[in-house]
């Protein structure tokens, strides 16, 4: 029998498929474009398009689409069939190089944040050959050839999440290659690549129960709901045995992902009942981002097949853990090695420490931008809620690495914790703990042995935004280090001595960003404030970081986002935030008025003739009054901020009612029901 693994890559126009179906010269040219980021040779496009169409039609496809990632944070597709009339009463099929390379969807309804007025709504999609085309089957089994593309306006302005991502990868590559040269690594025009593995958390709930919760349906989270008496307190769900119905879902999910060459690797129960995680093997960043977007979609569609709904909201349930997307990020140098792995000789270690110190500079200088990149209405419920990292950005390096950093600051060549001596470029580093040994789960930005894990990304977000920031701020820090080193060396300074000076200076300035302790404590928030680290608690606090001169200069300098493109992001994210809160407020009002109040009135009537429960009746009446007042307050709320506060107050009285209104009268499925898959 064919097992699921054998289906790996079945639906992807992979390099292997290309090699088999393209002429040798065309394949070589395309491969060069993919490997080096060189401009696409337009003369090969027709041949590639024809081969893609033939392959796709063998898989049952009748249509193709340029698959892109607009600023809504979702993915978008518009299907075109391969058919042309032959003007003899029949049809022929065709797919030209031009159609492969460029498309022109009607862009007027995608957010542009002011980049483009609707009367000049033309937007263009352009093929991204670095991400392979794939076949997607819809619920009815119809197949569509999906071509990953970027999405730009008439003058090339980026209207999507992928264009800046590719630009930021290029900027990072350029500075990484430059840094490599200073360390004697010269690999010609081979690029360095950022790598990403995103661990994805999600909830599964029963579809029937979901259908009875208008709040879940309209907003993705429960706007009301009293915490269940048993939920995650016992931690008995975490890594527990996977129940058969969920196991069947997971097997199906893996199979669908594997068909798309998504290397789904790890699956397990999470801390909260009904919560799970899936993690792929890491890959080149842009491919990993595409794959995460496809994973989100596949989670939803596979859940549906199994009678579940997959909740991807960052905080579907109050009082239990929310869902994040741990962003495991590293740099693969042009030599193909992981440059965030401590090396095996002093020279490699000097490079490794340079990168670590540059990251300190990057994250400290632009902590506000990293925070802004994860600012959404959903994630506001999660960050700082003792389950996810606080809104304060800091770096965890672990004791040993911190010790080495301190030695470099103090001038190098001092005794290390296990007795060795450290001088950059001369000594071996003491063996650093790898992977799971030295963990701090409370840090937003943790070194985990051979990569950094940015833990603040929301489960429902595209990973693109956070990585655009990460790539760009690291490119800037590398640029700084290279510029200093190049000029010191030009002045005749010895390389290791120059490096020691540059790193010591950076450490002095930016060591405040290091924190190895418990990030969930109030003591840390106080300490962070005294260090001057920003603590931007809400999305409205965080987004203005995108409007600073610092941010404008950064993204413009590295060609990632023009000032206008950056401003457009601010406009869109702010509007999305306000719109989402508005939808939540309207939904809360609907539920409170049309479901909660009638149920409470019924309960009060039923109880009113029984003197023994007069106390409960009175309590219900008083909470009902509070609920009515809460409704009025929410209706009157004038700002988004007021809406957030008023929703919280309304919820408090409704949840208190849920505790005393008879369960058979309460109109919404309870947390206990929802969370028991
Ligand atoms: P944990 O839950 O302990 O953090 P997981 O194994 O669930 O670990 O997830 C770790 C993720 O980090 C995986 O997606 C893995 O592929 C990824 N990863 C490992 N090495 C790198 C690297 N060099 N660059 C980017 N991601 C990496
Ligand atoms: Mg992790």
């Amino acid at each position: 029998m064919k097992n699921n693994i054998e289906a790996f890559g079945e639906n992807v126009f992979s390099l292997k498929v290309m090699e088999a179906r393209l002429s040798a010269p065309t394949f070589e040219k395309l491969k060069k474009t993919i490997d080096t980021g060189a401009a696409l040779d337009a003369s090969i496009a027709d041949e590639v398009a024809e081969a893609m169409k033939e392959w796709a039609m063998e898989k049952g496809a009748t249509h193709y689409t340029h698959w892109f990632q607009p600023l809504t944070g979702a993915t978008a597709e518009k299907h075109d069939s391969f058919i042309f009339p032959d003007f003899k009463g029949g049809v022929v099929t065709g797919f030209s190089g031009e159609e492969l390379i460029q498309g022109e969807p009607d862009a007027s309804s995608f957010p542009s944040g002011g980049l483009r007025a609707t009367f000049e709504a033309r937007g263009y999609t352009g093929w991204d050959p670095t991400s392979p085309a794939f076949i997607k089957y819809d619920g009815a089994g119809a197949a569509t050839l999906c071509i990953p593309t970027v999405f730009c306006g008439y003058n090339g302005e980026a209207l999507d999440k992928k264009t800046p991502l590719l630009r930021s990868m290029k900027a990072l590559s350029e500075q990484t290659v430059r840094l490599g040269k200073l360390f004697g690594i010269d690999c010609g025009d081979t690029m360095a690549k950022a790598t990403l593995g995103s661990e994805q958390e999600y909830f599964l709930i029963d579809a029937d129960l979901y259908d009875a919760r208008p709040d879940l349906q309209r907003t993705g989270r429960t706007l009301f709901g009293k915490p269940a008496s048993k939920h995650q307190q016992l931690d008995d769900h975490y890594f527990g045995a996977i129940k058969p119905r969920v196991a069947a879902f997971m097997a199906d999910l893996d199979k669908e992902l594997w068909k798309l060459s998504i290397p789904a690797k790890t699956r397990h129960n999470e801390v909260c009942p009904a919560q799970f995680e899936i993690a792929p093997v890491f890959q080149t960043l842009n491919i990993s981002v595409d794959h995460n977007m496809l994973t989100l979609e596949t989670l939803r569609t596979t859940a549906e097949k199994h009678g579940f709904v997959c909740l991807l909201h960052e905080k579907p349930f109050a009082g239990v853990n929310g869902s994040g997307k741990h962003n495991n990020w590293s740099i693969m140098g042009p030599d193909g090695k992981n440059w965030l792995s401590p090396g095996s000789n002093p020279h490699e270690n000097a490079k490794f420490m340079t990168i670590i110190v540059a990251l300190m500079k990057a994250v400290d200088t632009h902590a506000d931008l990293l925070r802004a990149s994860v600012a959404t209405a959903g994630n506001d419920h999660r960050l700082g809620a003792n389950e996810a990292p606080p809104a304060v950005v800091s770096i965890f390096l672990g004791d040993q690495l911190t010790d080495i950093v301190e030695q470099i600051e103090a001038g190098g060549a001092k005794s290390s914790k296990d007795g060795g001596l450290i001088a950059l470029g001369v000594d071996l580093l003491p063996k650093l703990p790898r992977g799971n040994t030295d963990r701090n789960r409370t840090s937003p930005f943790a070194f985990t042995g051979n990569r950094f894990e940015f833990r603040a990304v929301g489960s429902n977000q595209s990973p693109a935004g956070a990585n655009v920031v990460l790539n760009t701020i690291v490119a800037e820090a590398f640029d700084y280090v290279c510029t200093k080193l190049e000029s010191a060396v030009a002045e005749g300074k010895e390389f290791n001595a120059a490096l020691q000076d540059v790193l010591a200076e950076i450490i002095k300035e930016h060591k405040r960003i290091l924190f190895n302790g418990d990030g969930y404590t109030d003591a840390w928030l106080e300490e962070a404030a005294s260090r001057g680290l920003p603590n931007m608690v809400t999305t409205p606090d965080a987004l203005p970081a995108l409007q600073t001169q610092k941010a404008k200069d950064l993204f413009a300098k590295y060609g990632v986002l023009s000032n206008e493109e950056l401003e457009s992001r601010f406009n869109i994210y702010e509007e999305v935030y306000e719109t989402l809160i508005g939808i939540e407020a309207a939904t809360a009002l609907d539920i409170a008025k049309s479901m909660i109040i009638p149920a409470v009135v019924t309960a009060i009537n039923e109880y009113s003739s029984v003197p023994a429960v007069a106390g409960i009746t009175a309590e219900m009446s008083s909470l009902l009054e509070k609920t009515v007042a809460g409704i009025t307050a929410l209706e009157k709320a004038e700002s988004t901020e007021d809406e957030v506060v008023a929703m919280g107050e309304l919820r408090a009285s409704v949840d208190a009612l849920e505790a005393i209104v008879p369960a058979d009268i309460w109109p919404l499925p309870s947390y206990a029901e929802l969370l028991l898959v």
Side-chain angles (χ1 to χ4, degrees):
M1 198 182 89
K2 201 169 165 185
N3 72 26
N4 290 345
I5 288 181
E6 282 169 39
F8 194 89
E10 195 172 280
N11 293 342
V12 176
F13 195 68
S14 62
L15 275 180
K16 207 166 91 189
V17 177
M18 289 185 214
E19 189 162 24
R21 289 176 174 255
L22 296 172
S23 69
T26 297
F27 176 71
E28 283 313 318
K29 279 184 194 166
L30 190 56
K31 194 163 175 306
K32 191 162 162 70
T33 301
I34 295 167
D35 289 346
T36 65
L40 182 76
D41 184 335
S43 68
I44 65 168
D46 278 334
E47 188 188 330
V48 178
E50 180 61 22
M52 254 190 213
K53 186 205 78 182
E54 290 298 318
W55 171 82
M57 289 184 66
E58 286 166 27
K59 301 255 162 215
T62 50
H63 289 68
Y64 72 93
T65 182
H66 279 192
W67 182 78
F68 60 101
Q69 299 170 25
L71 291 167
T72 53
T75 58
E77 48 194 79
K78 181 190 98 185
H79 299 181
D80 283 299
S81 74
F82 294 123
I83 68 167
F84 292 95
D86 67 359
F87 300 107
K88 291 183 229 152
V91 288
V92 291
T93 61
F95 182 46
S96 69
E98 215 172 298
E99 288 171 305
L100 166 64
I101 289 182
Q102 200 182 77
E104 193 190 328
D106 176 11
S108 54
S109 293
F110 291 109
S112 78
L115 273 181
R116 176 175 45 73
T118 32
F119 60 84
E120 44 182 46
R122 272 194 294 183
Y124 296 89
T125 48
W127 184 32
D128 166 19
T130 64
S131 183
F134 56 91
I135 304 277
K136 223 168 67 177
Y137 292 89
D138 67 20
T144 303
L145 169 66
C146 298
I147 299 156
T149 58
V150 295
F151 178 47
C152 293
Y154 188 66
N155 296 314
E157 57 282 34
L159 297 174
D160 68 347
K161 298 212 168 232
K162 181 177 252 197
T163 304
L165 185 72
L166 295 175
R167 291 174 183 164
S168 73
M169 287 175 70
K170 184 160 175 275
L172 179 65
S173 172
E174 280 166 10
Q175 298 303 330
T176 305
V177 166
R178 184 175 162 209
L179 187 71
K181 289 197 173 126
L182 282 163
F183 283 89
I185 298 167
D186 191 342
C187 302
D189 59 1
T190 308
M191 291 176 74
K193 285 175 178 156
T195 53
L196 171 69
S198 9
E199 299 162 60
Q200 176 72 46
E201 292 178 326
Y202 61 94
F203 278 84
L204 285 181
I205 63 161
D206 200 88
D208 290 338
L209 297 172
Y210 174 87
D211 289 342
R213 297 264 345 189
D215 47 0
L216 283 177
Q217 288 177 315
R218 288 185 228 164
T219 72
R221 74 178 182 105
T222 54
L223 298 172
F224 302 106
K226 171 181 79 71
S229 49
K230 174 186 180 293
H231 42 90
Q232 65 183 47
Q233 300 98 323
L234 301 176
D235 274 347
D236 51 355
H237 189 253
Y238 193 49
F239 283 17
I242 298 168
K243 298 205 175 108
R245 189 176 162 204
V246 174
F249 158 84
M250 286 181 170
D252 210 10
L253 174 68
D254 279 343
K255 181 168 122 194
E256 291 309 315
L257 295 175
W258 289 342
K259 283 188 200 165
L260 291 168
S261 293
I262 299 174
K265 177 87 175 166
T266 312
R267 56 189 191 198
H268 62 77
N269 288 354
E270 260 301 331
V271 176
C272 178
Q275 194 189 24
F276 309 92
E277 179 181 299
I278 180 162
V281 179
F282 73 93
Q283 296 172 90
T284 306
L285 205 157
N286 63 314
I287 295 190
S288 236
V289 171
D290 284 358
H291 281 177
N292 184 257
M293 298 309 292
L294 283 170
T295 300
L296 298 183
E297 187 176 332
T298 311
L299 276 165
R300 285 193 208 97
T301 52
T302 309
E304 227 170 90
K305 279 195 258 169
H306 290 256
F308 289 125
V309 171
C310 178
L311 301 180
L312 290 162
H313 191 282
E314 284 76 13
K315 192 80 177 179
F317 305 99
V320 294
N321 280 6
S323 300
K325 175 146 44 201
H326 289 180
N327 193 88
N328 293 271
W329 177 96
S330 188
I331 302 172
M332 189 173 87
D335 56 0
K337 292 187 183 167
N338 179 2
W339 284 13
L340 277 168
S341 235
S344 51
N345 61 56
H347 203 60
E348 282 177 357
N349 284 332
K351 175 166 68 50
F352 168 72
M353 286 314 302
T354 305
I355 293 171
I356 295 285
V357 172
L359 263 139
M360 286 171 58
K361 179 179 171 66
V363 173
D364 186 37
T365 309
H366 299 295
D368 60 339
L369 286 177
L370 279 170
R371 171 67 186 92
S373 75
V374 296
T376 66
N379 223 12
D380 278 2
H381 296 285
R382 185 180 157 257
L383 297 179
N386 275 10
E387 45 154 301
V392 179
V393 177
S394 65
I395 298 181
F396 168 84
L397 286 183
D399 291 342
Q400 261 191 313
L401 206 44
T402 305
D403 180 47
I404 297 165
V405 166
E406 281 165 1
Q407 287 184 57
I408 296 172
E409 183 193 4
K414 279 198 167 176
S415 167
S416 90
K417 277 205 170 144
D418 57 358
L421 288 167
I422 296 171
L424 281 172
V426 180
D427 295 312
L428 272 177
L429 295 182
K431 209 147 185 55
L432 293 170
R434 287 242 176 191
N436 288 325
T437 51
D438 190 8
R439 281 308 185 92
N440 177 329
R441 296 218 159 255
T442 69
S443 174
F445 202 86
F447 183 68
T448 51
N450 60 1
R451 60 187 186 271
F452 275 95
E453 187 166 331
F454 183 36
R455 302 212 179 98
V457 183
S459 51
N460 206 12
Q461 282 193 285
S462 159
N467 288 292
V468 166
V469 171
L470 200 43
N471 293 339
T472 311
I473 66 179
V474 175
E476 182 191 53
F478 284 3
D479 183 3
Y480 177 86
V481 171
C482 290
T483 304
K484 285 256 168 175
L485 285 175
E486 282 160 2
S487 68
V489 170
E491 284 161 17
K493 210 163 169 182
E494 193 268 326
F495 181 76
N496 286 331
L499 183 63
Q500 163 65 39
D501 288 352
V502 177
L503 298 196
E505 168 233 295
I506 295 176
I507 295 166
K508 270 193 189 70
E509 195 180 335
H510 297 289
K511 66 182 172 189
R512 66 172 186 168
I513 197 70
L514 297 185
F515 179 62
N516 291 339
D518 184 351
Y520 291 173
T521 62
D522 289 338
W524 164 236
L525 295 186
E526 278 168 37
E527 163 74 16
S530 75
R531 293 187 192 185
L533 299 176
N535 181 9
M536 294 173 288
V537 180
T538 66
T539 296
D541 294 340
L543 287 180
L546 301 177
Q547 292 187 300
T548 60
Q549 195 58 44
K550 173 172 79 79
K552 288 182 190 166
D553 292 348
L554 169 79
F555 290 114
K557 178 167 182 194
Y558 295 95
V560 174
L561 289 167
S562 69
N563 289 351
E564 295 72 28
E565 287 169 331
L566 183 62
E567 181 67 17
S568 74
R569 269 69 185 166
F570 172 81
N571 292 338
I572 290 168
Y573 301 150
E574 189 184 49
E575 192 188 325
V576 166
Y577 174 80
E578 286 172 3
T579 307
L580 284 177
I581 301 289
I583 294 172
E584 288 188 352
T587 307
L589 285 170
D590 273 358
I591 294 175
K593 289 200 272 194
S594 68
M595 298 174 86
I596 307 294
I597 290 183
V600 179
V601 170
T602 305
I604 291 173
N605 284 338
E606 278 193 12
Y607 275 27
S608 60
S609 58
V610 185
V613 291
I616 302 179
T617 314
E619 202 183 336
M620 286 198 281
S621 292
S622 126
L623 285 168
L624 184 60
E625 273 170 33
K626 274 195 195 153
T627 302
V628 172
I631 289 171
T632 310
L634 182 52
E635 280 172 337
K636 282 198 183 141
E638 275 173 8
S639 65
T640 302
E641 211 180 337
D642 291 348
E643 281 176 331
V644 172
V645 174
M647 270 195 284
E649 279 165 14
L650 177 58
R651 179 178 189 145
S653 51
V654 171
D655 289 359
L657 278 165
E658 189 182 350
I660 50 173
V661 169
D664 64 332
I665 294 178
W666 194 253
L668 299 166
S670 70
Y671 269 29
E673 290 171 275
L674 289 166
L675 291 173
L676 276 176
V677 181

